[in-house]
Amino acid sequence: MLEERERKEPVMNPFQKNESKETLFSPVSTEEVPPRPPSPPKKSSPKICGSSYPLSIAFIVVNEFCERFSYYGMKAVLTLYFLYFLHWNEDTSTSVYHAFSSLCYFTPILGAIIADSWLGKFKILSLVGLSLIALGTGGIKPCVAAFGGDQFEEEHAEERTRYFSVFYLSINAGSLISTFITPMLRGDVQCFGDDCYALAFGVPGLLMVIALVVFAMGSKMYKKPPPEGNIVAQVMKCIWFAISNRFKNRSGDIPKRQHWLDWASEKYPKRLIMDVKALTRILFLYIPLPMFWALLDQQGSRWTLQATKMNGNLGFFVLQPDQMQVLNPFLVLVCIPLFDLVIYPLISKCGINFSSLRKMAVGMILACLAFAVAAVIEIKINGMAPLQPGSQEIYLQILNLADDEVKVTVLGNGNHSLLIESIKSFQKTTNYSKLHLKTKSQDFHFHLKYHNLSVYTEHSVEEKNWYSLIIHENGKSVSSMMVKDIENKTTNGMTAIRFINTLHTDVNISLGTDTPISVGEDYGVSPYRTVHRGEYPAVHCKTEDKDFSLNLGLLDFGASYLFVIINITNQGLQAWKTEDIPANKMSIAWQLPQYILVTVAEVMFSVTGLEFSYSQAPSSMKSVLQAAWLLTVAVGNIIVLVVAQFSGLVQWAEFILFSCLLLVVCLIFSIMGYYYIPVKSEDIHQPADKQILQGEVINLETKNTKL
C-alpha cells in the first residue's frame, strides 16, 4: 500500500481560490541567512561513450572501489592483528574492533556538517576523507554518494538512479576482493618469521593512494556545488525559533498556521523553511530503519558464530566459518544487475507501481524470512549437539589404557548400574554416562576389578562438568586419574586436541608455528590446544633421545580429540585416537538460503534507500541526509548490543525475536510510507527563486492529498 496515491496526485495551481496571494508572498524578515554564492555558469560535462553518464562518474566509482577495498581489507585482519601481533586479550581486541566500526558510522554526521558548511563534497573527499581511515570514513561516506549524484543533469534522473546501483556494486566488489585477498596476504606470506601483517595493511594503504590519485585525475570534470553555509546550525535555529514562537503565540485568538515550522516565517526565509520541512519529513521516515540494519549486520557476528557449529567441508572446497561472509558481497554483485536489468523492468511491464518505499518494505520482509530460516537452522544444530549436564549432574566416560579389560563400579548413590559392563583395553566409548550428585561437588568412590585384583579409588567432581576416568597400569595392578574434559565445541572452525603420554620420558609435540606441546612422562596429560581443521599425517614429536612423527589423521570442525601416545611392539610409537566431542555434522551450505534472502533484502532496501535519500533531499542538505542514513546503521548495531546483553534468550529464540521485531517495524514503516508524499525531483533541484514561489504549493498539495 506504500505510496499508492502517487498516481493520484493532482496538479496544483499556484493561485488557488482558497489561498490568498498574501499567504504565498508573505514578507521575510531582514535577518536572513547569508546569501548563497552565485552559481558557476552551467557547462556540459563529457559523457561516457556517448551515453548520458558523465565521465566524472567513472573516477568517483573507481575511487569508491579502492576506498572500500582498503576499509574492508583492513577490517578483515584487524582483530587478529590486535590478538596475535599486539598480544591484546580477546575482550580488548573485540571491544576496540567494534568501537572502530561504530565510529565509522557515527563520524559521517561530522563529515556531512563540514562538507555542506565549509569545504564542499569535493574537498572533504580529497583533503580529509582520504587522509585518515578512522575519521576519514566519516568524511567519505556521506559525501561520495551524493557527490556522484550531483554530476547528473535533472533530465537524466533514470541514469542517476542506476548510478546508485553501480556505486553500491563498487562497494561490494571492493569488499569481496579485499576479504579474500588480505587474509591470504597475512597468513600465506611470512614476514620476520610470523604472519605478514605489514603486507596485509600495506596493500589496503596502497589502494588508498590509488583512490586519491584516481579521484584527483577527474578534478576538472566534476560539477562542484558550492557549500551553503553552516546548514546544521541554520536548521537547528529555525526549528528552535518555530517551537518557541509557537509556544509564545499559543493564544486561541491567534490564527493557526498550516505547519508548525511556518511559525519561523517571521525570521527565516521560505526556502530554508521549505528545506527544513522536507528534512524533517524524511528523518521521520528514517525512524524505523535501524531495525533492518540490526538484522543485516549480524552476518559478521551471530551468523558467523552459527557457522562455527557447522561443517565447512563442501567436498570440492573447505570453507572456514568467517569466509561465509564473502557470500554476501558476491551475491550483491549478482543481484544488482539482475534486479536493475531484469526483475524491475518485468515488474514495471506488468503495470505494478513498485515505488522506492515499497521496495524497502519488501526488503524488510525478506530479512524477516532470512532470520526465520536462521532460527530453524539453529534449532537443527542444537538437536545434533551433545546434551549439557544440568544442576547436580556430570557426564563421565571411562578410558581403559591397561593391557586387559577392567570392570568399573560406582559405589553408592544408585549410579552403579550405569557402568555395569566391563571395559576392554583401549575400547573407544560411544558416549558419556550421566551421574547424579547429591551436592554441587562430591567425592565418588569407584571399584576397579582387574584380573583377580580389586582396586578402590576416590575422585572429586563438580556439577555441570564433563570428566574422563583414565585407568592405566601401575606395575601389576592398575591406577586411575580423573581429568576434566572440554565442555563445549570449539569456535571459529577450530579443533581441540590433547595428549596422554604413556612413555617413560617427556614428549614435545610441534603443531604449526605455535609453541610445542609438552606432555609429561608416565601418563602425563597435556592441556587442550586448538588447531585448524585439516589432515595431520606427520606431526613432529621429540623426546630426549629421538625424533618421531605421529599420524593424527583428519581433525574435523568443532570436534575434540584425545590422543594417547603408546609404544606398540614391532610398530613403534603410535597415537591412539578417540573423539570426546563429535565433529559438526550439519553442512555450512545450509546457510545459503538465509544469505540469499538477506542479500536480496539488502539490494532492495539499501540500494533503493541511497537513491531515495538523494531524490528527496533538499539541495542544501544532501550530505546531511546521507549521513543520517548511515547513522541508522550505527543505531542498528546498538540495538544488537542491547538485545544480546539483556535478552537472555537462547540463540534461536533471539533470531525469532529479531524477525518479529522487524516484521512489526515493517508494518509501521508501511503505514508511514502510505502517508508520505514524495517530493518531485524538479521541486527539489530547481533554482531558489522558483522554490520560494512554489513553497506554499507543495504544502497545499500535501494538505489536499491527505483530505
Side-chain angles (χ1 to χ4, degrees), residues 20-255:
S20 65
K21 294 182 181 180
E22 182 180 356
T23 303
L24 289 172
F25 299 99
S26 57
V28 180
S29 170
T30 57
E31 186 181 351
E32 299 181 356
V33 294
R36 290 178 30 175
S39 300
K42 190 175 182 180
K43 62 178 181 179
S44 177
S45 57
K47 308 297 182 183
I48 299 177
C49 300
S51 67
S52 299
Y53 293 90
L55 183 59
S56 56
I57 290 299
F59 295 94
I60 295 174
V61 171
V62 173
N63 165 81
E64 181 65 11
F65 168 83
C66 295
E67 190 272 334
R68 291 291 88 185
F69 184 104
S70 175
Y71 175 74
Y72 286 109
M74 180 187 62
K75 285 188 66 178
V77 298
L78 194 59
T79 301
L80 296 181
Y81 173 74
F82 292 154
L83 194 63
Y84 298 126
F85 192 82
L86 298 182
H87 302 293
W88 294 353
N89 59 42
E90 292 184 3
D91 291 337
T92 303
S93 301
T94 302
S95 299
V96 175
Y97 174 85
H98 284 288
F100 170 77
S101 300
S102 299
L103 183 64
C104 289
Y105 284 102
F106 276 111
T107 52
I109 293 293
L110 177 62
I113 295 173
I114 297 174
D116 278 335
S117 302
W118 298 297
L119 296 182
K121 301 182 187 73
F122 171 74
K123 292 183 180 179
I124 189 68
L125 270 168
S126 57
L127 298 181
V128 179
L130 298 177
S131 301
L132 302 170
I133 287 282
L135 294 178
T137 189
I140 295 173
K141 280 178 178 291
C143 301
V144 65
F147 185 63
D150 289 338
Q151 308 305 305
F152 291 88
E153 306 294 340
E154 286 312 310
E155 59 268 21
H156 299 143
E158 182 179 351
E159 286 81 0
R160 185 178 64 218
T161 300
R162 290 200 174 169
Y163 151 74
F164 284 103
S165 295
V166 175
F167 173 81
Y168 204 75
L169 188 144
S170 69
I171 293 176
N172 285 275
S175 171
L176 173 67
I177 298 174
S178 65
T179 306
F180 265 120
I181 291 180
T182 51
M184 294 172 58
L185 296 176
R186 173 193 59 82
D188 295 347
V189 180
Q190 296 292 310
C191 295
F192 312 106
D194 205 346
D195 289 348
C196 195
Y197 288 100
L199 188 60
F201 287 125
V203 171
L206 178 62
L207 264 292
M208 285 302 298
V209 175
I210 296 175
L212 174 60
V213 172
V214 170
F215 187 76
M217 288 172 59
S219 174
K220 296 183 179 180
M221 304 180 189
Y222 299 141
K223 292 172 58 179
K224 306 170 188 176
E228 305 190 7
N230 196 336
I231 301 299
V232 174
Q234 294 178 28
V235 170
M236 299 303 295
K237 290 178 181 179
C238 179
I239 293 175
W240 175 251
F241 182 81
I243 296 174
S244 60
N245 193 32
R246 176 66 183 91
F247 183 77
K248 293 176 182 177
N249 297 278
R250 61 185 182 276
S251 173
D253 299 333
I254 300 177

Side-chain angles (χ1 to χ4, degrees), residues 258-491:
Q258 186 177 11
H259 194 281
W260 64 273
L261 279 169
D262 292 334
W263 289 94
S265 59
E266 285 84 356
K267 185 175 181 180
Y268 293 95
K270 286 188 176 295
R271 180 177 183 272
L272 178 61
I273 295 175
M274 290 167 53
D275 285 356
V276 176
K277 287 180 181 179
L279 178 66
T280 54
R281 290 170 67 241
I282 300 173
L283 292 181
F284 177 72
L285 204 60
Y286 278 8
I287 293 176
L289 303 189
M291 184 53 67
F292 175 84
W293 298 112
L295 274 69
L296 185 70
D297 286 355
Q298 291 189 54
Q299 296 175 74
S301 57
R302 295 301 197 189
W303 285 16
T304 300
L305 293 176
Q306 184 185 71
T308 62
K309 296 178 285 187
M310 307 177 78
N311 196 311
N313 186 9
L314 303 179
F316 59 91
F317 184 75
V318 177
L319 198 64
Q320 296 296 328
D322 51 355
Q323 286 182 313
M324 198 66 180
Q325 300 176 57
V326 181
L327 194 61
N328 175 252
F330 172 76
L331 290 174
V332 167
L333 295 177
V334 174
C335 289
I336 285 180
L338 177 64
F339 273 74
D340 278 352
L341 302 178
V342 180
I343 296 179
Y344 289 155
L346 286 177
I347 294 176
S348 180
K349 288 183 178 180
C350 293
I352 300 175
N353 180 24
F354 205 30
S355 61
S356 296
L357 295 181
R358 286 178 176 173
K359 293 175 184 176
M360 295 171 69
V362 172
M364 289 182 177
I365 294 174
L366 292 176
C368 293
L369 294 176
F371 265 66
V373 173
V376 173
I377 298 298
E378 190 71 20
I379 292 173
K380 291 288 187 181
I381 292 174
N382 292 342
M384 298 178 180
L387 297 176
Q388 297 297 316
S391 178
Q392 296 186 4
E393 291 179 349
I394 66 166
Y395 279 106
L396 177 69
Q397 69 170 347
I398 310 295
L399 296 179
N400 179 15
L401 306 185
D403 60 353
D404 202 354
E405 66 178 23
V406 176
K407 187 173 183 179
V408 181
T409 304
V410 182
L411 303 178
N413 301 319
N415 290 311
H416 60 278
S417 61
L418 298 176
L419 304 170
I420 194 170
E421 296 181 358
S422 297
I423 302 173
K424 296 179 180 179
S425 176
F426 287 90
Q427 174 182 329
K428 295 185 178 181
T429 56
T430 57
N431 50 33
Y432 283 75
S433 299
K434 181 190 294 186
L435 299 183
H436 298 277
L437 283 65
K438 293 182 178 180
T439 58
K440 292 184 178 180
S441 61
Q442 182 177 325
D443 292 337
F444 272 100
H445 299 271
F446 297 90
H447 172 231
L448 311 179
K449 188 173 183 180
Y450 172 71
H451 293 164
N452 295 322
L453 298 175
S454 291
V455 178
Y456 294 90
T457 183
E458 178 183 333
H459 298 286
S460 297
V461 296
E462 295 180 353
E463 65 174 359
K464 300 181 180 180
N465 285 311
W466 301 71
Y467 291 94
S468 291
L469 182 64
I470 311 296
I471 302 172
H472 59 86
E473 297 179 25
N474 185 8
K476 295 183 179 181
S477 183
V478 291
S479 297
S480 66
M481 57 182 179
M482 185 77 76
V483 295
K484 189 176 180 180
D485 296 345
I486 194 169
E487 300 175 7
N488 298 303
K489 286 181 175 290
T490 56
T491 58

Side-chain angles (χ1 to χ4, degrees), residues 397 399 432 468 483-491 493-501 508-519 524-541 550-565 575-583:
Q397 69 170 347
L399 296 179
Y432 283 75
S468 291
V483 295
K484 189 176 180 180
D485 296 345
I486 194 169
E487 300 175 7
N488 298 303
K489 286 181 175 290
T490 56
T491 58
M494 304 289 279
T495 298
I497 60 174
R498 63 176 174 174
F499 295 86
I500 294 179
N501 178 20
N508 290 322
I509 305 169
S510 299
L511 288 166
T513 59
D514 293 334
T515 56
I517 301 175
S518 180
V519 192
V525 182
S526 73
Y528 279 102
R529 174 70 62 86
T530 56
V531 296
H532 290 283
R533 185 263 185 198
E535 293 279 353
Y536 290 80
V539 174
H540 181 260
C541 303
L550 294 177
N551 180 11
L552 305 186
L554 174 64
L555 305 182
D556 213 348
F557 287 106
S560 174
Y561 299 97
L562 171 66
F563 292 94
V564 181
I565 303 175
W576 181 74
K577 177 180 179 181
T578 183
E579 191 178 66
D580 293 341
I581 296 180

